[in-house]
Structures are given as C-alpha cells and as structure tokens.
Amino acid sequence: MNNKAQGLKLTNKYSSQISAFLALIILCVVLSFLSKDFMTVGNLLTVTNQVVYIALMAIGMTVLFMLGAIDLSVGAILALSACVMGLLTNKYGMAPMPAILIALAIALLCGIINGLLVTKVMLPPFVATLGTSYIFRGMAAIITDAKNSLIMPDGLRWIAAGKIKNVFPIGIIVLLALFAMAWFLLEKTPFGIKIKCIGGNEKAARLSGVEIDKMKLKAYAMTGILCGISAMMLAGRLNFTNSTMATGAELNCIVAGVVGGTSMNGGSGSIWGTLIGSLLMGVINNGLNLLHVSQFWQDVAMGALVILAVTIDCFRQASKDRVKKVA
Amino acid sequence: MKQNIKMNDIALEVTGATKMFGGVTVLDHVDFTLRKGEVHILMGENGAGKSTLIKIIAGAYIPNAGSIKLNGEPILTNSPIEALEKGISVVYQELNLVEPLSAYENIFAVNQIVKKHGPLQILDRQAMIQRSRELLEMIGANIDVTVPVNELSVAQRQMVEIAKALRMNSKVIIFDEPSAVLTDIEVEKLFTVIRKLKENGMAICYISHRMDEIMQIGDRVTVLRDGKLVGCRDFHEEEITIDDIISMMVGHPMDQQFPKQFFERGEEILRVENLSCGKYFQNVSFSLHKGEVLGFSGLVGAGRTEVAKTIFGALPKTEGKIYFFGKEISVKNPSDAIKLGISLVPEDRKEEGLFLSHSLYSNLMIAAVDNFTKHGVFEKSKIETICHNISRKLHLNTDNLDLNAENLSGGNQQKISLGKWLVANSKLVIFDEPTRGVDVGAKVEVYNLINKLIEDGIGVIMISSDLPEVLGMSDRILVMHEGRPTGELLRADATQEKIMKLATQRGEKEYEQ
C-alpha cells in the first residue's frame, strides 16, 4: 500500500475525530470575533480547566460506549463521592488523605454496583444506571442533610484549582495524564480489544473466549473510580461539596463521547475524540457565558447538541452500512 | 398420470416461482398446486427451498418471477396480512402467538368483533370468546380460551393457530413441520384434525421430515432440491416407497471435488460419554482420534450444533462426561475450553464468528489476546509475525491485516474464523457447516485446510447438512435425529440413502460398524 492510500485510510479512520477538531477550531475562531475576551490564553486555559471533571467521567463513558453500554449515574456517583469527602473532612475532622481514599472507594463501589446490576441481574444498562443515579444522589442528600461542606483540603485545592507560575492550571496536567493512561490501556493492552470486541459482537466475543461479565464489571468499576477522581477535582476547584453537584453531567459526558466519534452502538471509538468532544462542549458553554446567554438557553443548546451528535452518529452508521452493501 | 383435474378443484396454483437473494437463486421456477380436500406433502433437504416457497405463498417474500392463483384468480400478496385476508394461513413451527394474551385474543388478533356505540367501538369480548369456543370445538380441541397462551402446551397452541386460520375463513392451510415439536399421541390428534379439515374441502400443505407420517397422511408429495422442483407424485396413483422419496430428495450423483486425504489413525483426542444437554440432545457418545475427520450428519434441529456448543462450553451439559486426551475435563464457558485447546468455528460466522467492523488483526488475535503481551503490554512484533504466518497458512487473499473483516469474501471470512483458532494453538477444531455461504472454489480451499489440520495432528469434527460434503470429507459419520444419535457409519459403508434414513427415521437404532 502506498503512502497516499495509507494517509487516506488514516483520515478515514479518524474522520469523526478530525471533523470534531475542525468544529472546535471553527467555533473558537467565530467566538474570537464575537467576544474579545474569548481568545486569551487565560480564558482558554480556564475553559479547559472547567471541563476537567466532565472529561474524566467521559473517559469512563467512552469505554462503556465501546462496550455497547452506558452509565447515567456518573453525575450522581460524583456527588456522592464528593459529599462523603466533604462530610468526613468538615463534619468529622478527618485528615484529607484517608477521607479522599474513602471517597474514592465509595465511587468504586458505586461503579461495581452498576456493573453487578448489568451483568448478574442482567438489567439493561440504561435502566440500571438511571435507577442507581437516583439512589446515589439521594444517598448524598441524606448523609449531608442536603447541606454544603464549605472547606476543602488545601492539597485538593492546589491540584484542582492551582496554577503553575500562576498561569497553567495543574488540573490540565491531571487531565492529560489520565487520558494518556486510558489511551494506553485501550490501545496497548488486551483490555481495549476485548472491550471493543464485546461491543462489536457480543456473541462472537463470548465464543472467542472473552469473559464478558468480567470485562463489563471492570468497565463499570473503572467508570466509578474515574467519577471519584472527577469528584475530587470538582470539589477542589469549587471549594465546596453538596448533593446537587454535577447534576446532568451524564448528558455532557454522552455529548463528549458521541461528538468525539465514539458510537453508542459499541465496537469502536477513540479516547482522544472524547477529549476533543469535552473541549468543544466547554467552549460552547464558555462562549454562551461570554455572550451573556442565559443558563436556560444554555440548557436548550446542550439538549440540541445531544440530539445533533446522536443524529450524526446514526447517519455515520447508516452510510457505513451502505458502503458495506456496495462493497 | 391422469390429467383430468377440473379447474375448480385446484385451490392454489403456483407457477414458475423464482426467488433470488443477492444473486443467489434459492428457488428456481417451481410449480406447485394444492387441490381442495387434499394433504400435499412438501419435502426436501435443508436449504432445498421449502421455506422460501412457503414464505412466497404466505406473502412474506415477494417472488422475483412467477405467479400465484387462488381459486383460479391471480393474486399478488405483498404482506402476510394480505395473504391471511385472502384465505392463506400458515401454522409455523415456531408458533406465531402473542404469549401473554389469551387464546381468544390470539384467535382475534386481527379484525376483532366490536360493538358500536355511536362513534365508539368497544370490543365485544363475550362474542369473541363464544366464537373461539365454537371454532375449537369444530376441530375437537377442548381448550379454555381465556387462559394466556403461554400456559397452554405446544399441541394446544397449534390448535389455537388452526382455529385462528379457520376464523379467517382460510381455504389454504400450510403446516410447517408441525410434528417436530409434538409427542406421538399429539401427532395422532393433529392428524385427526387435519383429516377433518380435509373432509371439509380445505387444501392443506404439510411439511415434514418424518417419512412414516408422510405415508400416513399424504395424498400427494412434491420434492424440492437445490431450489428446483424434482417432481410431484400421487400416492393414490402409484406405489411410492420411502426409498423413492429419499432418492428424489438426495438425487444428484456426487460430482463435486473433495480433496480428501487419509492419515494414520492415532491417539484419542476426544471421547464423549452419554453427554446430554436438557431438551437439546441426550446420551450422545463418540470418540475422535488423531488423523481422522468425524462427520456429524442430521437435519436441522437434530441437536448437532448443540453437542458442539456443549463440548465448547457455550451450553451447560446436564449429564455425561467429556475426556480430552484421556483426561476428564469440565468446561463451564468457552474461555475454559479455549484454554484447553478446544475450538468451534460456528455456523453463522457473521453472527457468532467474526467482528465485521474490526481489523483482521483483532479478529485473528482475539481468542489468544493475552498471549501477545509482555508484562501486560502488547508486543507489536509478535502480533505481526504470528498473524502473518497464519494468514499465509490460510492462503488469505490479502496481506493487509489492517483491513476490516467485512471487506472479505465469504470464503476468506471463513478462513479468518478458523484462523483465530490456529493463532490460539487449538488442538481440536469443531466446524459447524464449514462451507455454508462459501463459493465452490473456496470450498475446496476449506477442505484442503481441514486436511492440513489433520496432518498437523489437530482433531477435526465437521457438522454438515451437506450430504456430499459429509460423505466426501469424513472418515466416520455420526448421524443424529431429534437429539439422539441414530447411528455411526464408516466412510466405506456410508451412502446418502443410509444417512438420510438414519436422519429421518425415528427410534430405529442401526449401528453399522
């Protein structure tokens, strides 16, 4: 195969990531004309830092999409985990480190519960995680009495909101590190192939010796722990925790994944696409803020974006099927 | 044959029915007539075109050519509902009843009886229950019509289907292997009903593989083979034996090329003793040695695939023992079996074998994916070397393993489906219909690969519904019928007729050794 064909094939393979990236660039250019404040290094870094918590959860969502599953409880896991940490440090005066570890363990446990409901009880992922999302958020409200915890540990503040030389947010380093780890896991180890094969053809995967339940459980557990990390980052940045944190964040994660080219039907996807998708969403939110668009209209925009993204995904799937028939 | 049939005797007349699926002709200019008051048996091997013909008559398929006349009038049915309204009913083997609904609700699934109150239409349940009872009484079935269908036995559900057909004033009823799911007594009852329908002038088409019942109930028989009409014979006009029908079904002389190679019989690879899996199959015993191909023959639903899946751990065994290289093994899932070296090339490669939208690399390495790592991280060079070695061994028509599996032809896809087991170093390969959907040239390549496996000391079991293939490639042939082995034939003794006899006749144990 010559270089040109190879190049063409690469563009084909990453077409959705490339189009998402182009959309991001175009949006940035448009916003830079509409608002003077947008195209500043400070603002761009702030935007990025603001989507860290979404992007981290979206890693888990992307893995679940590849598997052909979904987790609608990510926002609730985040809230519960953050509230546990806030409660332990504020109300019970626990040292930050053990409190954070307990909070992460809770998030992991929530992920495992989702995984068990999907694999052992065999509930459809949509229903199982919609149910647990109410349970987890309800638990968060119960343990906190729906009150805020207002003082976050200094270390957490530094990681989540701190800046190197007062410019570069440390949160972005955390973000990139976790994405690199996820990429490595998905592309360089059997984990990724197994996950995508289950999403591509679960029957064939089982008959090829892939342990379906084990992999699904791992994916949900992984999503859980990512929600925990995300909870710490958000709590640290906002400097408070309460049970309504990250309400509706699951929708943002879905958009990030789908815009980034991961199909909800399973079998394929890209972790870098999800990063681009998260940034795109952050930019849209930030842009609408700078243009003084009300929160209500922002909700409308987000909902429209979900529908648009999934529609594009459907078209992508349909055109792929057409190509298949011709070939 | 007498040709003095009056036009009005014929209820349904199909002429020149042709159906193609993507360039493959599955039904080729088939003529078929159904007279009023007759039971017309439709026979043929799996894939002969019986169900295609039925589906055309029932309006589920639109034929590429041909016409259908009902009572002398041409009809063009575009949907099953339309055919039903015109008086053609099909009682499918997998009965088409809505389970949680009651019998009468199913009988009145379309065109319910309603009471009109001005603009409002209200279901008249009492009238429907009453009418359903009458219909079931007509065929001598005593069933509570208000009970949900899933609480009825299979035989009772069939009666509900028949009542449904009667209620639509059907003139033509087609039974698609109704007896396959019934006990002997239930079959007798069904026959009584069919005879009654026949007396009332109903035209009945009956599909079955059971030779004994064909002789019992049939007036005429039509045999299809490879999508073509072999012939139509009348039981009342000539003496027809079971052997006559079998030779009509099997027909063609063996003219295909089977590059069978023979090797010395070596140590035992697999031994299965009294293996059972619930209702799928019972008491299956056989052994497989190095150097031989064991063929599995039988009709669809005989339990062959299920035996394979049980050995492979995809179905749970309920009884019996499996020995692999002399040691008893217990496999709980395919992953256990694969670790031992047992593999299955499934019948439906697109559904169960391949990851169509994934690269050939993924497809080849998935079964042994953990072996390609060092400290948990992929070793790219190892993957490339092994996958390319295997693809050369398979004579794959491409070197580019980054291609997606969906871009390959059927034959090459089948090679990939096998290739993943070669990558995983399997010691036993079970092929389920190894050449289904593979063109003739590629078939020979698959047979050559089977030879090569045997040469390398890998055990091969080949399940196949293609009789010439079983005869051409096996050293021994195990025949199954309705979940039980009915005989084992040595290559030298096996003929198509003997296999068909074992595959269709019930309760006749004929071990020829």
Side-chain angles (χ1 to χ4, degrees), chain A residues 146-180:
Chain A
K147 286 187 183 113
N148 294 350
S149 301
L150 291 170
I151 306 154
M152 292 297 119
D154 288 341
L156 212 52
R157 296 274 304 136
W158 181 75
I159 291 175
K163 287 175 184 173
I164 295 174
K165 294 193 173 165
N166 256 336
V167 181
F168 197 82
I170 299 166
I172 296 179
I173 296 171
V174 175
L175 174 81
L176 291 175
L178 280 166
F179 266 87

Side-chain angles (χ1 to χ4, degrees), chain B residues 17 25-30 47-50 224-229:
Chain B
T25 309
V26 290
L27 204 63
D28 192 0
H29 293 93
V30 170
K50 291 171 310 217
L224 298 181
R225 191 203 313 135
D226 297 333
K228 293 191 180 74
L229 180 70

Side-chain angles (χ1 to χ4, degrees), chain B residues 89-139:
Chain B
S89 290
V90 184
V91 178
Y92 289 104
Q93 192 179 350
E94 65 286 6
L95 301 165
N96 278 335
L97 297 174
V98 187
E99 296 225 323
L101 294 185
S102 67
Y104 83 87
E105 283 166 314
N106 270 288
I107 291 173
F108 285 92
V110 287
N111 299 343
Q112 295 87 351
I113 304 176
V114 289
K115 277 187 284 201
K116 281 195 180 140
H117 295 280
L120 270 183
Q121 293 194 330
I122 293 167
L123 288 180
D124 189 348
R125 290 184 186 272
Q126 277 316 313
M128 288 193 280
I129 291 171
Q130 188 54 37
R131 181 84 187 110
S132 300
R133 282 199 186 120
E134 286 166 20
L135 289 167
L136 284 164
E137 263 166 36
M138 259 167 68
I139 52 172

Side-chain angles (χ1 to χ4, degrees), chain B residues 68-331:
Chain B
I68 306 170
K69 279 183 189 167
L70 188 66
N71 295 322
E73 274 180 41
I75 54 164
L76 185 71
T77 48
N78 288 323
S79 71
I81 300 268
E82 219 173 299
L84 197 63
E85 279 168 352
K86 284 179 176 146
I88 299 171
S89 290
V90 184
V91 178
Y92 289 104
Q93 192 179 350
E94 65 286 6
L95 301 165
N96 278 335
L97 297 174
V98 187
E99 296 225 323
L101 294 185
S102 67
Y104 83 87
E105 283 166 314
N106 270 288
I107 291 173
F108 285 92
V110 287
N111 299 343
Q112 295 87 351
I113 304 176
V114 289
K115 277 187 284 201
K116 281 195 180 140
H117 295 280
L120 270 183
Q121 293 194 330
I122 293 167
L123 288 180
D124 189 348
R125 290 184 186 272
Q126 277 316 313
M128 288 193 280
I129 291 171
Q130 188 54 37
R131 181 84 187 110
S132 300
R133 282 199 186 120
E134 286 166 20
L135 289 167
L136 284 164
E137 263 166 36
M138 259 167 68
I139 52 172
N142 186 18
I143 298 167
D144 183 353
V145 295
T146 55
V147 160
V149 170
N150 48 14
E151 288 174 25
L152 299 177
S153 73
V154 177
Q156 286 175 320
R157 287 187 218 182
Q158 262 180 2
M159 293 300 149
V160 173
E161 284 270 24
I162 297 171
K164 202 168 128 187
L166 291 177
R167 193 231 131 195
M168 295 302 294
N169 277 323
S170 291
K171 295 289 171 283
V172 172
I173 302 187
I174 299 165
F175 288 92
D176 185 9
E177 289 201 56
S179 56
V181 286
L182 300 181
T183 64
D184 287 354
I185 302 162
E186 288 169 339
V187 170
E188 271 314 311
K189 273 189 189 159
L190 176 68
F191 281 5
T192 316
V193 171
I194 289 179
R195 289 196 187 98
K196 209 178 249 174
L197 296 173
K198 192 175 125 174
E199 277 160 26
N200 291 335
M202 203 79 89
I204 289 156
C205 172
Y206 189 94
I207 300 175
S208 176
H209 283 304
R210 290 187 184 172
M211 294 294 168
D212 48 339
E213 54 184 43
I214 288 157
M215 301 312 227
Q216 253 187 69
I217 191 107
D219 295 305
R220 286 197 295 163
V221 59
T222 287
V223 179
L224 298 181
R225 191 203 313 135
D226 297 333
K228 293 191 180 74
L229 180 70
V230 179
C232 174
R233 314 274 287 267
D234 195 325
F235 287 110
H236 303 298
E237 291 174 354
E238 52 188 319
E239 198 64 35
I240 301 164
T241 63
I242 293 181
D243 286 339
D244 287 340
I245 297 175
I246 290 179
S247 52
M248 278 172 87
M249 280 170 70
V250 173
H252 55 98
M254 283 238 274
D255 50 8
Q256 279 158 297
Q257 283 296 305
F258 296 101
K260 171 74 180 165
Q261 286 176 23
F262 297 93
F263 299 94
E264 204 177 314
R265 193 174 147 116
E267 61 171 317
E268 181 188 272
I269 295 174
L270 180 77
R271 189 169 82 247
V272 167
E273 285 177 2
N274 296 318
L275 194 66
S276 301
C277 174
K279 61 180 185 338
Y280 293 121
F281 62 89
Q282 302 84 33
N283 284 317
V284 174
S285 302
F286 63 87
S287 68
L288 172 75
H289 288 254
K290 272 193 178 166
E292 63 171 0
V293 175
L294 178 64
F296 263 43
S297 194
L299 301 166
V300 164
R304 297 167 302 165
T305 300
E306 288 75 10
V307 171
K309 286 201 167 161
T310 306
I311 295 169
F312 187 58
L315 282 174
K317 69 170 187 198
T318 47
E319 250 175 89
K321 287 176 176 164
I322 303 171
Y323 297 88
F324 194 54
F325 287 97
K327 267 197 286 185
E328 191 181 345
I329 55 165
S330 122
V331 286

